[in-house]
Amino acid sequence: MALTALIDSSLLEDTFTIVPRLDRPSTYKDHQYQGSTTQWDKALANTATLYVGNLSFYTTEEQLYEIFSKAGEIKRIIMGLSRNSKTPCGFCFVEYYTHESALECMKYVNGTKLDDRIIRTDLDPGFREGRQFGRGRSGGQVRDEYRQEYDEARGGWGHMRAKQEEERRIQQEESYEAISTVPTGAELQINSRLGRSSPGYRNGN
């Protein structure tokens, strides 16, 4: 009897699904996408566009071309920008000429390091004008609105935490009272501790 006949087909199927495909898109769906879930899935099945996240604000378009061109010929790269300052805010879209190149990128570029950060790629249904701008209240990405940790490569504190830190700084400055007069007797006590014989010590007597 052949060996395969001894293996339950369901067990065989489970064996081959333990390791997920590296080119499989995530379950994320853009909430601003106008079509249905079926249309979304169909678009991903044919797309040549990738969304790239977790980038440093300082990563350049030239750096992106260098790494992403290893998976195939690039049509264009659209840098993600802050809606307010129009400066890079940590994401981009990469458009290839073929769907196969996008899948190759998912396999071999996703999860690699660029500027000491692990970059994340995901299949995208296609770039539309306006999507290059951040959707957060401060103009950047939503994730940076509520980020609590300090991340120098992504502008320091998250927007909400930065406001808290600034408010704390202002409160500290307002509560600080500079000492303009020395209370009676305090100078004698200070001089005694420092080994000074009299208040006139300060004047060289």
Side-chain angles (χ1 to χ4, degrees), residues 13-196:
E13 182 179 353
D14 289 342
T15 300
F16 285 99
T17 57
I18 291 176
V19 180
R21 289 176 52 180
L22 298 177
D23 58 0
R24 178 176 296 173
S26 71
T27 57
Y28 170 80
K29 179 186 175 184
D30 186 352
H31 69 276
Q32 293 189 3
Y33 181 73
Q34 299 298 317
S36 65
T37 300
T38 300
Q39 291 172 317
W40 172 272
D41 292 339
K42 185 176 180 180
L44 294 187
N46 298 284
T47 188
T49 303
L50 291 173
Y51 171 88
V52 184
N54 200 41
L55 297 175
S56 165
F57 287 5
Y58 306 104
T59 296
T60 65
E61 190 171 335
E62 289 74 19
Q63 287 175 286
L64 294 168
Y65 264 104
E66 182 177 359
I67 187 170
F68 283 92
S69 62
K70 298 181 185 301
E73 186 178 0
I74 295 173
K75 183 177 181 180
R76 64 171 176 166
I77 292 178
I78 302 97
M79 299 295 290
L81 304 174
S82 165
R83 190 175 62 254
N84 298 334
S85 64
K86 303 302 185 291
T87 55
C89 64
F91 72 99
C92 74
F93 296 92
V94 177
E95 290 185 350
Y96 288 99
Y97 281 97
T98 68
H99 178 65
E100 289 69 27
S101 293
L103 294 181
E104 287 294 294
C105 184
M106 288 285 288
K107 291 178 183 177
Y108 302 114
V109 179
N110 183 37
T112 59
K113 276 192 173 184
L114 179 59
D115 282 339
D116 294 323
R117 302 183 70 83
I118 296 177
I119 56 177
R120 304 297 183 191
T121 67
D122 202 1
L123 294 178
D124 187 88
F127 174 77
R128 299 188 314 278
E129 185 60 33
R131 292 188 66 201
Q132 72 269 41
F133 299 120
R135 297 174 179 174
R137 293 181 180 179
S138 61
Q141 289 192 277
V142 174
R143 59 171 287 190
D144 290 314
E145 290 290 316
Y146 305 101
R147 176 169 48 79
Q148 290 295 307
E149 71 276 10
Y150 187 87
D151 191 338
E152 184 175 357
R154 292 184 68 90
W157 296 113
H159 181 64
M160 299 296 292
R161 178 65 183 273
K163 288 181 62 177
Q164 294 172 356
E165 292 296 322
E166 178 63 13
E167 290 172 357
R168 182 183 304 173
R169 183 189 66 79
I170 293 173
Q171 289 175 356
Q172 289 176 341
E173 289 182 352
E174 291 177 346
S175 62
Y176 174 75
E177 294 180 4
I179 300 176
S180 58
T181 59
V182 179
T184 303
E187 188 174 355
L188 289 174
Q189 185 177 4
I190 293 172
N191 287 333
S192 175
R193 291 182 178 180
L194 295 177
R196 299 169 181 172

